[in-house]
């Protein structure tokens, strides 16, 4: 028989149970407290440690030198030099003392107190009022770079007057004073400014650590400097130092040295580039002041030229004239300086660049009275039209056309005439190229449109794109434009037939000089379109090659190879007796294939102007180099642009063929 538990025993067991529950609660609370303490120690320990130690220890960033840039032969194009910079490490002083430090700095560095306080970023204005900070107190601030020897001495002699201010060495980008391919090379600016305007730096600036960038770190903003930013940028280092009460380092706790950026070896050739630049300047001066009679071109102030290897796509020279000294970007650029730079800083070989109106009384008004760098290519399009006509079966190699001198492609339309109203008699495709007969190509375009209607316009566009006209060349530079196909707009709003006719001799489309160079190289290469190369190799700072850029075929034109030979022979006749460029290339030991162009352009408020355009490749039998030259308002192609093309081919012969 089981006897029931007594009340005393039951009460005792209940108390024990409650005690166990209480101990469990205490234990859980204790565990929670331990977890909280661990989280504070491990999760936010760094933050609290930084807050506690910021008055004794500072991490000073050390900017890594950017990679150097060389020409194809190893000549230095862009380097670095060391300079002294004043860096501020905020101390634990009061507002009054910090304001006095700012005033002392302003006097020594010849800067407004307001600017110094903004650089120090201590949360004060000139009156000592509290203002928002831009960065945490422990973050080092650059006050001024490129300190003079006098400024360095003053800052070092009386450190008590400049508490928290230290002088460090850092690299400065150094460009050549001969303006070697300045627009192609590009320039750098501080990250703080770049992140307000360029998307790639905006994204970095949105990150908590600025994407690893320092506000005063130089970053590529244009040209090669921008396109190869990730290669040229090094890895910044830093020093952890213990500082005294005045913010002066007294002991280096840890040092991580910066790793320099990679070096670039360009495809550009120093001799070809500099001599072409010098020749262009001389040629433009001659056109404005010395050219005889109708060849005088008083407004010829700009020129654009590209030399591209046919088989590799390597760019050996690339000139956008006028140029400027890029070292101006190393300092503060005034609004007046920037206004003048707007007429020279754009790379006119790949984008629209304005007329050089710097010397006009009203530059802003004057530059609108002149064509930009992207303009109609004129008769240099005729080899393209010839290939299309042959491939479409509109004509054969020996088909003839009786030149009427004045060609009417439709009733009640303005007629097409040849330059100088010439009548060239019986024409085949080669003679039409030699004489640059507008009537012949207008006849082909008219015939094509009458046979296929608007379908011919689509084919017209597709063919030109295969040669790089109307599409990006893929040159590795920011801001490349793909030209303007005006004939499409004319066809939509006015006359499709008229669009075809105007386009047939290059008056209804506008392309960049780089596009013209790629188009010319594709002609020479029997329809193989190469990507323009500006960089050959990337090397680390020790000189080891880590990347090589190989020639790249973008596409092959869908044209029967036999037609290229016909067109090339016609282009050779351009440089022979009776051709429009017969006075050029006589001193070379091989034949040159070329095409002159004189494009007409209507400028609002000014009237019609004539632009000089020229393309060529050589040697004609086994092409190695292709060139394209544009001289806005230069007049006849063979007079203004032609001699520049001749100079470039001669230079290539001397540098790469004769040797």
């Amino acid at each position: 028989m089981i006897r029931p538990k007594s009340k005393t025993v039951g009460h005792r067991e209940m108390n024990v149970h409650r005690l166990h529950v209480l101990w469990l609660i205490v234990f859980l609370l204790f565990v929670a407290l331990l977890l909280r303490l661990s989280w504070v120690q491990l999760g936010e320990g760094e933050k609290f440690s930084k807050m506690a130690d910021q008055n004794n220890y500072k991490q000073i960033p050390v900017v890594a030198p950017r990679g150097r840039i060389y020409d194809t032969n190893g000549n230095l194009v862009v380097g670095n030099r060391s300079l002294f910079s004043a860096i501020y490490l905020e101390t634990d002083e009061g507002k009054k003392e910090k304001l006095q430090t700012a005033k002392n700095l302003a006097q020594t560095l010849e800067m407004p107190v307001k600017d110094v306080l903004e650089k120090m970023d201590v949360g004060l204005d000139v009156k000592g009022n509290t203002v928002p900070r831009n960065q945490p107190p422990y973050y080092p601030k650059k006050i001024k770079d490129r300190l003079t020897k006098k400024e360095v001495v003053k800052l070092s002699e009386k450190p008590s007057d400049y508490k928290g201010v230290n002088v460090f060495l850092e690299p400065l980008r150094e460009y050549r004073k001969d303006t070697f391919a300045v627009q192609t090379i590009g320039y750098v600016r501080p990250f703080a400014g770049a992140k307000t305007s360029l998307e790639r730096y905006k994204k970095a600036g949105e990150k908590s650590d600025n994407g690893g960038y320092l506000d005063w770190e130089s970053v590529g903003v244009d040209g090669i400097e921008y396109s190869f930013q990730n290669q040229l940028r090094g890895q910044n280092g830093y020093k952890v130092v213990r500082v005294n009460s005045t913010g002066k380092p007294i002991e280096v706790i840890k040092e991580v040295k910066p790793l320099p950026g990679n070096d670039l070896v360009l495809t550009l050739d120093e001799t070809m580039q500099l001599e072409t630049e010098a020749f262009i300047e001389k040629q433009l001066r001659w056109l404005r002041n010395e050219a005889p009679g109708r060849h005088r071109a008083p407004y010829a102030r700009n020129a654009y030229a590209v030399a591209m290897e046919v088989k590799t796509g390597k760019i050996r020279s690339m000139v956008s004239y006028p140029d400027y000294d890029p070292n101006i970007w190393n300092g503060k650029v005034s609004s007046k300086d920037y206004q003048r730079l707007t007429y020279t800083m754009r790379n006119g070989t790949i984008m629209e660049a304005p007329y050089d109106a710097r010397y006009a009384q009203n530059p802003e008004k004057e530059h609108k009275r002149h064509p930009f760098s992207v303009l109609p290519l004129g008769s240099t399009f005729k080899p393209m039209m010839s290939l299309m006509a042959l491939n479409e079966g509109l004509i054969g190699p020996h088909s003839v056309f009786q030149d009427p001198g004045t060609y009417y492609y439709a009733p009640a339309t303005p007629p097409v005439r040849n330059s100088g109203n010439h009548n060239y008699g019986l024409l085949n495709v080669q003679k039409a190229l030699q004489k640059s007969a507008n009537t012949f190509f207008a006849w082909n375009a008219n015939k094509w449109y009458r046979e296929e209607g608007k379908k011919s316009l689509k084919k017209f566009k597709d063919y030109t794109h295969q040669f790089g006209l109307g599409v990006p060349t893929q040159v590795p530079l920011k801001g490349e434009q793909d030209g303007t196909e005006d004939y499409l707009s004319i066809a939509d709003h006015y006359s499709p037939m008229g669009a075809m006719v105007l386009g047939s001799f290059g008056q209804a489309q506008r392309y960049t000089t780089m596009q013209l160079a790629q188009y010319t190289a594709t002609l020479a290469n029997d329809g193989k379109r190469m990507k323009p190369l500006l960089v050959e190799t990337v090397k680390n700072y020790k000189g080891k090659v880590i990347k090589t850029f190989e020639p790249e075929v973008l596409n092959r034109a869908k044209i029967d190879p036999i037609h290229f030979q016909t067109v090339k022979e016609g282009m050779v006749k351009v440089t022979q007796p009776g051709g429009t460029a017969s006075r050029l290339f006589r001193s070379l030991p091989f034949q040159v294939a070329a095409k002159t162009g004189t494009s007409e352009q209507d400028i609002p408020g000014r009237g019609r102007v004539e632009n000089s355009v020229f393309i060529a490749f050589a040697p004609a039998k086994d092409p190695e180099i292709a060139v394209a030259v544009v001289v806005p308002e230069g007049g006849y192609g063979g007079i203004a642009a032609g001699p520049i093309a001749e100079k470039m081919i001669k230079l290539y012969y001397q540098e790469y063929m004769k040797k």
Side-chain angles (χ1 to χ4, degrees):
M1 179 175 182
I2 299 175
R3 301 176 64 181
K5 293 182 180 180
S6 68
K7 292 183 178 180
T8 304
V9 174
H11 182 70
R12 187 182 299 116
E13 288 181 353
M14 185 178 295
N15 287 339
V16 171
H17 178 71
R18 288 174 179 173
L19 186 61
H20 286 168
V21 172
L22 179 62
W23 275 109
L24 179 61
I25 292 172
V26 171
F27 176 76
L28 291 175
L29 289 173
F30 183 72
V31 170
L33 180 61
L34 286 176
L35 290 174
R36 173 61 180 170
L37 289 173
S38 299
W39 181 81
V40 170
Q41 179 68 27
L42 299 175
E44 291 194 316
E46 185 179 349
K47 173 183 174 182
F48 286 114
S49 176
K50 184 178 291 183
M51 292 175 64
D53 295 341
Q54 63 182 351
N55 293 326
N56 298 316
Y57 297 94
K58 300 289 183 182
Q59 181 169 304
I60 304 171
V62 181
V63 179
R66 285 176 72 80
R68 296 159 294 188
I69 302 177
Y70 297 89
D71 90 322
T72 189
N73 296 311
N75 299 304
L76 185 65
V77 175
V78 183
N80 304 293
R81 63 183 174 90
S82 297
L83 54 84
F84 288 105
S85 295
I87 306 295
Y88 179 67
L89 306 175
E90 190 167 342
T91 65
D92 58 354
E93 294 179 304
K95 294 181 179 180
K96 184 178 179 181
E97 288 78 9
K98 290 176 181 177
L99 189 58
Q100 186 58 52
T101 297
K103 291 177 179 178
N104 294 341
L105 278 171
Q107 184 176 2
T108 299
L109 302 180
E110 297 182 355
M111 296 172 62
V113 178
K114 178 185 176 184
D115 291 353
V116 173
L117 282 168
E118 287 178 356
K119 298 283 188 180
M120 290 172 65
D121 191 23
V122 291
L124 297 173
D125 64 13
V126 292
K127 295 181 180 180
N129 298 319
T130 301
V131 296
R133 289 174 177 268
N134 294 316
Q135 293 174 323
Y138 57 81
Y139 197 88
K141 318 294 184 350
K142 180 190 282 190
I143 308 300
K144 185 181 180 181
D145 54 26
R146 286 181 296 282
L147 299 178
T148 64
K149 291 182 180 179
K150 184 179 179 181
E151 290 171 336
V152 172
V153 170
K154 284 187 176 181
L155 292 175
S156 303
E157 281 182 341
K158 294 184 178 181
S160 59
D161 289 347
Y162 315 101
K163 293 182 179 180
V165 180
N166 295 273
V167 177
F168 295 101
L169 278 172
E170 65 176 9
L172 173 73
R173 208 59 165 157
E174 188 169 36
Y175 298 97
R176 292 166 54 142
K177 293 183 179 179
D178 56 19
T179 66
F180 178 99
V182 54
Q183 295 96 338
T184 301
I185 299 298
Y187 60 94
V188 297
R189 294 294 279 165
F191 174 74
K195 68 181 178 182
T196 65
S197 56
L198 294 174
E199 190 62 31
R200 72 186 297 180
Y201 301 126
K202 279 184 183 179
K203 290 180 179 178
E206 290 170 356
K207 297 179 181 179
S208 58
D209 63 345
N210 264 351
Y213 284 101
L214 301 168
D215 270 355
W216 63 81
E217 179 182 343
S218 292
V219 296
V221 173
D222 197 15
I224 293 290
E225 292 276 29
Y226 176 86
S227 299
F228 292 84
Q229 164 68 13
N230 292 339
Q231 292 286 359
L232 290 167
R233 186 193 181 208
Q235 184 176 328
N236 294 333
Y238 64 89
K239 291 181 180 179
V240 177
V241 299
R242 186 161 63 89
V243 298
N244 59 21
S245 59
T246 65
K248 299 295 180 182
I250 57 176
E251 181 184 6
V252 177
I253 306 300
K254 182 180 180 180
E255 181 176 6
V256 175
K257 293 184 178 181
L259 185 66
N262 294 324
D263 298 336
L264 302 181
V265 178
L266 305 182
T267 60
L268 296 175
D269 181 278
E270 181 182 71
T271 300
M272 286 189 66
Q273 183 70 29
L274 293 180
E275 290 200 24
T276 301
E277 290 177 6
F279 186 85
I280 283 176
E281 184 176 4
K282 180 181 177 182
Q283 175 72 352
L284 293 178
R285 193 183 312 118
W286 177 81
L287 286 168
R288 292 195 305 270
N289 305 311
E290 302 172 31
R294 61 179 180 153
H295 298 313
R296 184 73 57 87
Y299 297 109
R301 291 190 174 276
N302 298 60
Y304 310 95
V306 175
M308 177 179 178
E309 282 190 351
V310 172
K311 297 179 177 67
T312 67
K314 292 181 180 180
I315 305 298
R316 293 306 186 187
S317 57
M318 184 175 178
V319 182
S320 179
Y321 187 89
D323 48 30
Y324 68 97
D325 182 0
N327 288 295
I328 191 173
W329 298 110
N330 284 331
K332 187 175 182 180
V333 180
S334 68
S335 57
K336 185 177 180 180
D337 289 334
Y338 192 81
Q339 182 63 31
R340 289 176 64 83
L341 283 169
T342 59
Y343 301 108
T344 60
M345 64 188 287
R346 295 185 197 173
N347 192 335
T349 64
I350 64 166
M351 67 176 70
E352 282 196 334
Y355 174 75
D356 182 14
R358 291 174 296 169
Y359 308 101
Q361 291 184 347
N362 188 338
E364 181 62 26
K365 182 179 179 180
E366 182 64 23
H367 94 269
K368 295 177 181 178
R369 301 177 64 249
H370 303 272
F372 280 64
S373 58
V374 181
L375 42 74
L377 73 169
S379 296
T380 58
F381 185 75
K382 289 173 181 175
M384 182 76 248
M385 187 64 205
S386 300
L387 285 172
M388 291 190 291
L390 288 165
N391 205 56
E392 287 296 314
L394 300 171
I395 57 172
H398 306 293
S399 299
V400 294
F401 168 73
Q402 181 63 49
D403 186 4
T406 301
Y407 177 72
Y408 290 89
Y409 59 91
T413 59
V416 174
R417 294 188 174 90
N418 297 318
S419 177
N421 292 320
H422 286 294
N423 186 316
Y424 296 112
L426 207 60
L427 294 171
N428 61 18
V429 64
Q430 291 185 357
K431 185 178 179 181
L433 286 170
Q434 179 189 36
K435 299 297 184 181
S436 199
N438 294 337
T439 53
F440 179 87
F441 297 98
W443 166 66
N444 273 280
N446 183 28
K447 185 178 180 182
W448 193 1
Y449 183 80
R450 289 184 182 279
E451 288 182 5
E452 299 193 47
K454 287 190 175 182
K455 184 180 178 182
S456 62
L457 277 165
K458 184 182 183 305
K459 285 186 175 181
F460 186 99
K461 182 180 75 170
D462 291 343
Y463 275 124
T464 57
H465 285 190
Q466 293 172 38
F467 284 73
L469 300 175
V471 294
T473 66
Q474 298 188 34
V475 63
L477 293 174
K478 176 171 69 75
E480 183 193 12
Q481 297 174 351
D482 57 7
T484 304
E485 297 170 314
D486 299 306
Y487 62 89
L488 296 176
S489 178
I490 295 171
D492 288 340
H493 296 93
Y494 301 101
S495 166
M497 182 185 293
M500 282 287 288
V501 169
L502 286 173
S504 70
F505 51 96
Q507 291 298 145
Q509 58 269 67
R510 290 170 283 165
Y511 303 121
T512 69
T513 310
M514 180 60 72
Q515 286 177 306
L516 295 183
Q518 189 182 59
Y519 150 62
T520 307
T522 306
L523 283 171
N525 213 11
D526 292 344
K528 187 189 296 183
R529 184 165 75 106
M530 305 299 296
K531 180 179 179 179
L533 292 181
L534 277 171
V535 176
E536 290 183 342
T537 56
V538 179
K539 300 180 179 180
N540 65 19
Y541 71 99
K542 294 181 179 180
K544 181 181 178 181
V545 175
I546 58 176
K547 186 173 183 178
T548 300
F549 292 89
E550 300 294 341
E552 181 180 344
V553 179
L554 296 179
N555 63 266
R556 297 173 186 269
K558 297 175 182 178
I559 289 180
D560 191 327
I562 195 172
H563 300 317
F564 284 97
Q565 190 57 36
T566 300
V567 172
K568 287 180 181 180
E569 289 173 2
M571 293 178 71
V572 168
K573 290 183 177 181
V574 171
T575 63
Q576 302 302 305
T580 54
S582 60
R583 297 180 181 181
L584 301 172
F585 309 108
R586 293 179 178 178
S587 62
L588 289 169
F590 46 73
Q591 291 183 326
V592 175
K595 188 67 197 76
T596 58
T598 306
S599 73
E600 296 181 338
Q601 192 172 358
D602 292 323
I603 306 298
R606 170 92 183 282
R608 183 160 293 184
V609 300
E610 291 183 334
N611 306 304
S612 180
V613 188
F614 198 97
I615 62 171
F617 58 83
K621 289 186 177 180
D622 186 15
E624 293 187 32
I625 189 69
V627 301
V629 182
V630 173
V631 181
E633 296 184 87
Y636 288 104
I639 299 298
I644 299 171
E646 178 185 44
K647 178 68 174 179
M648 295 168 81
I649 290 178
K650 283 183 176 180
L651 286 168
Y652 186 84
Y653 168 66
Q654 293 168 5
E655 293 296 304
Y656 293 91
M657 298 173 67
K658 191 175 182 180
K659 291 180 180 180

